[in-house]
Amino acid sequence: MQPYFSLHYGNPSEPHQWGQQARAAIDEAREKVAQFLGAKPQEIIFTSGATEAINLAHKGLIENIKYPHIITSSIEHKAVLETCKHLEKLGMAEVTYLPVDKDGLVKVEDVEKSIKPETVLVSLMYVNNEVGTIQPIAEIGKLIQKINVSRLTSHLLRIFFHTDATQAIQYLDCQVAKLGVDLLSLSGHKFYAPKGVGVLYFKKGTPIVRQQDGGGQEYRLRAGTENVPYIVALGKAIEQISNFQFPISNKIKKLRDRLIDGVLKIPKVKLVGDSKKNSPHIASFLVEGVEGEAMMLLLSDRGVAASSGSACTSGLLEPSHVLLAMGYQPQQAHGSLRFSLGKENTQEEIDEVVQVLPGIIRQLRRMAPKL
Amino acid sequence: MSFSQLYSEKVLEHVRNPQNMGEIKKPDGVATVGNPVCGDIMRLYIKIEKKDGKEYIKDARFQTLGCGAAISTSSIITTMVKGKPLNEAEKITKTAIMEALGGLPPTKTHCSILAADALKKAIANYRQSHKK
């Protein structure tokens, strides 16, 4: 990435050799992303991140369709939920938000039951960012493909399937053909590329309309001069994962399970979701009688970075919509504590968390009034 | 999140070393207030002493289930009222609490309201139970 800031600084839209050097670097990165996803390079658009990719996928798909219906879930990332709410507010789409069970799973039959003649988009995240739940994307992909065949004969528009794979890239199979998706979005910074770069995969023939107007970059689907160094970095990072996905996944899973076993020894602590079925990098807990931010603060003093879905930690003072959708009460979400693991974490670090957390929880519980 | 970016040094000091935490066994006044916005709960106990016909807050203690801001506002209000004449203590406003803490982030100002409210209600509870 570094040389593309100051050494190879050409604008890829220019025909001179400096421009063409940058162009070649973008092409190479695009090729790597395509290979990782089992797609063609012409199906890859670089964006500023998953949020932009998601906006483009949703708004761009429905732009030319009169009052379409979208199906999504109630535990999506805000990038999807807010995009859908915006489209609803503008009267541009009708949206169904599917419920989830206590582990955060969408039921395939709920997807099937919600499909209407007007449905043009099903958008479901591959891995939930707060709990780690893995949705049955491939199964839903098959269902949609089957339904699309029958829609052909009844002259209905086909349904397109989008997945936000941001949290899955490092750990799960993201081959688009296996998943049966037409659109897939991802963010670079979830796999060690810089923040501020992402990708939208769109299957050839998916009728998206660009949302950011201007020049002809990115197959005329995303105007604006390309962020060459970040795109190069994303290409390099995704290539690295292709080589190490499974060993990293296994290593993190072992650490995560060790963390879960240790934390669950603390009284009145509950694990959120079904860890065996979840993505290996997230462990989410509900701690009774303690507020999440207070735990984060004292953990931070001990050098541990955690997060929480408690209302106090959200800028909007609302408890996590994911925990609420999973059926937890706001007061349970108040005690939410979440750890995200990465490939650089060590067993010693996990053991340290398991060692310091009980004291922090005891300290805060002692402070709380008996109700 | 870096907590030293979010909170003032004073707030962090009170979270790390809360003052007057715990229960007063036979309080003269007590109040439990809950914050419906975020779910925080604060309980404030006061012990009153009469000197020369004047009422003073002899002791104040708190119990709080809440975030850093809630803990620090509870803790600091106990230090602000201890030893104060009752009629002065009850004039403590949310702004005074915030100022004493060196400010609170905008999303956390409701925690200072919670502490001011707990104090008012604890004093009201004392007056109610000592009205004869």
Side-chain angles (χ1 to χ4, degrees):
Chain A
M1 166 178 77
Q2 286 295 349
Y4 292 91
F5 283 112
S6 49
L7 210 55
H8 312 311
Y9 51 78
N11 181 338
S13 294
E14 295 290 350
H16 51 56
Q17 57 165 310
W18 300 275
Q20 287 314 296
Q21 195 174 25
R23 164 69 43 219
I26 293 180
D27 287 347
E28 195 186 327
R30 202 186 306 277
E31 181 70 46
K32 285 173 182 164
V33 175
Q35 202 171 5
F36 180 83
L37 297 174
K40 299 182 193 77
Q42 301 85 330
E43 297 174 319
I44 305 299
I45 305 168
F46 288 111
T47 66
S48 61
T51 294
E52 189 196 329
I54 288 165
N55 271 270
L56 175 55
H58 290 65
K59 294 172 182 167
L61 182 75
I62 67 141
E63 188 173 307
N64 284 337
I65 301 166
K66 249 199 195 124
Y67 210 59
H69 175 237
I70 299 173
I71 298 170
T72 186
S73 85
S74 45
I75 63 161
E76 294 300 306
H77 190 273
K78 294 269 179 192
V80 168
L81 290 178
E82 291 298 316
T83 298
C84 286
K85 280 186 202 153
H86 190 181
L87 292 171
E88 276 182 302
K89 197 181 88 187
L90 294 176
M92 287 172 71
E94 186 201 349
V95 184
T96 299
Y97 301 90
L98 295 177
V100 293
D101 67 11
K102 65 170 192 4
D103 292 330
L105 276 171
V106 167
K107 284 198 190 69
V108 180
E109 60 259 39
D110 282 352
V111 177
E112 189 166 13
K113 271 187 266 171
S114 311
I115 291 174
K116 308 182 193 192
E118 299 78 24
T119 307
V120 295
L121 176 63
V122 174
S123 180
L124 295 168
M125 73 200 314
Y126 197 171
V127 172
N128 180 267
N129 54 314
E130 290 188 29
V131 183
T133 312
I134 303 170
Q135 300 299 346
I137 298 298
E139 207 181 323
I140 295 165
K142 276 202 194 83
L143 168 78
I144 293 171
Q145 276 163 2
K146 193 185 80 192
I147 291 171
N148 276 337
V149 171
S150 64
R151 280 167 81 106
L152 257 176
T153 50
S154 42
H155 301 287
L156 287 170
L157 281 177
R158 58 160 297 190
I159 301 165
F160 294 91
F161 186 21
H162 167 262
T163 191
D164 168 11
T166 302
Q167 293 283 334
I169 300 299
Q170 275 204 79
Y171 311 105
L172 303 175
D173 189 341
C174 291
Q175 295 273 309
V176 288
K178 281 191 208 160
L179 295 175
V181 294
D182 305 288
L183 295 152
L184 177 148
S185 27
L186 61 94
S187 252
H189 69 271
K190 296 294 173 187
F191 52 93
Y192 308 102
K195 294 155 194 73
V197 63
V199 165
L200 176 65
Y201 155 80
F202 70 108
K203 192 177 183 173
K204 190 168 178 275
T206 308
I208 50 171
V209 180
R210 81 173 175 195
Q211 299 297 302
Q212 178 161 301
D213 291 319
Q217 293 89 349
E218 298 301 300
Y219 308 114
R220 308 183 80 85
L221 284 170
R222 198 267 187 183
T225 299
E226 301 87 339
N227 188 346
V228 183
Y230 282 28
I231 289 171
V232 168
L234 189 146
K236 188 75 198 162
I238 215 160
E239 186 182 35
Q240 295 285 316
I241 302 168
S242 322
N243 301 331
F244 301 110
Q245 197 181 44
F246 288 100
I248 288 175
S249 208
N250 284 336
K251 179 198 156 184
I252 293 178
K253 186 177 186 316
K254 275 198 198 105
L255 293 178
R256 196 266 320 260
D257 290 349
R258 191 178 176 93
L259 177 67
I260 289 175
D261 290 344
V263 172
L264 287 182
K265 287 196 183 112
I266 305 168
K268 295 184 179 175
V269 174
K270 189 190 251 170
L271 181 70
V272 179
D274 181 347
S275 66
K276 285 188 200 79
K277 293 190 209 147
N278 281 2
S279 182
H281 67 300
I282 298 175
S284 168
F285 302 95
L286 296 176
V287 182
E288 220 179 287
V290 189
E291 191 280 325
E293 191 218 76
M295 286 187 275
M296 281 169 65
L297 200 159
L298 296 178
L299 277 168
S300 166
D301 280 353
R302 311 294 289 266
V304 182
S307 347
S308 169
S310 104
C312 303
T313 50
S314 107
L316 301 169
L317 295 171
E318 283 164 4
S320 147
H321 68 282
V322 177
L323 294 173
L324 297 185
M326 289 169 77
Y328 293 107
Q329 298 302 309
Q331 63 264 34
Q332 290 177 291
H334 197 235
S336 149
L337 184 67
R338 178 169 84 234
F339 298 94
S340 303
L341 284 77
K343 67 183 170 75
E344 308 297 340
N345 284 125
T346 61
Q347 187 170 311
E348 289 70 41
E349 288 171 332
I350 298 298
D351 292 347
E352 209 180 309
V353 174
V354 170
Q355 206 201 332
V356 301
L357 186 59
I360 289 172
I361 291 176
R362 256 200 315 275
Q363 180 186 344
L364 292 167
R365 278 181 177 157
R366 240 193 346 257
M367 198 185 292
K370 306 262 172 309
L371 298 170
Chain B
M1 186 192 329
S2 163
F3 286 95
S4 55
Q5 298 265 314
L6 181 70
Y7 289 136
S8 71
E9 206 36 58
K10 199 85 192 158
V11 170
L12 293 175
E13 206 179 290
H14 278 270
V15 180
R16 289 168 184 148
N17 282 307
Q19 304 295 302
N20 306 306
M21 185 185 93
E23 198 179 346
I24 292 178
K25 279 296 179 211
K26 281 178 189 161
D28 293 317
V30 61
T32 306
V33 292
N35 196 320
V37 184
C38 62
D40 288 353
I41 300 165
M42 190 180 291
R43 183 175 294 165
L44 192 69
Y45 304 85
I46 49 171
K47 196 84 187 160
I48 306 293
E49 180 181 50
K50 279 187 188 161
K51 260 195 281 181
D52 310 325
K54 212 172 172 189
E55 293 160 306
Y56 289 84
I57 297 183
K58 187 185 166 200
D59 196 9
R61 294 188 162 268
F62 81 91
Q63 290 177 314
T64 290
L65 163 59
C67 66
I71 293 169
S72 65
T73 54
S74 325
S75 169
I76 203 154
I77 202 168
T78 62
T79 66
M80 291 166 82
V81 302
K82 263 175 99 163
K84 265 218 167 83
L86 201 54
N87 59 358
E88 270 179 48
E90 67 187 331
K91 284 184 199 134
I92 293 173
T93 60
K94 63 173 181 14
T95 319
I97 297 168
M98 268 208 293
E99 274 168 11
L101 283 171
L104 281 173
T107 54
K108 300 286 190 179
T109 51
H110 66 274
C111 293
S112 62
I113 304 175
L114 196 64
D117 203 27
L119 175 65
K120 264 191 201 79
K121 286 191 171 142
I123 293 173
N125 174 257
Y126 160 72
R127 294 227 161 100
Q128 188 68 32
S129 53
H130 290 75
K131 185 165 66 177
K132 261 166 223 164

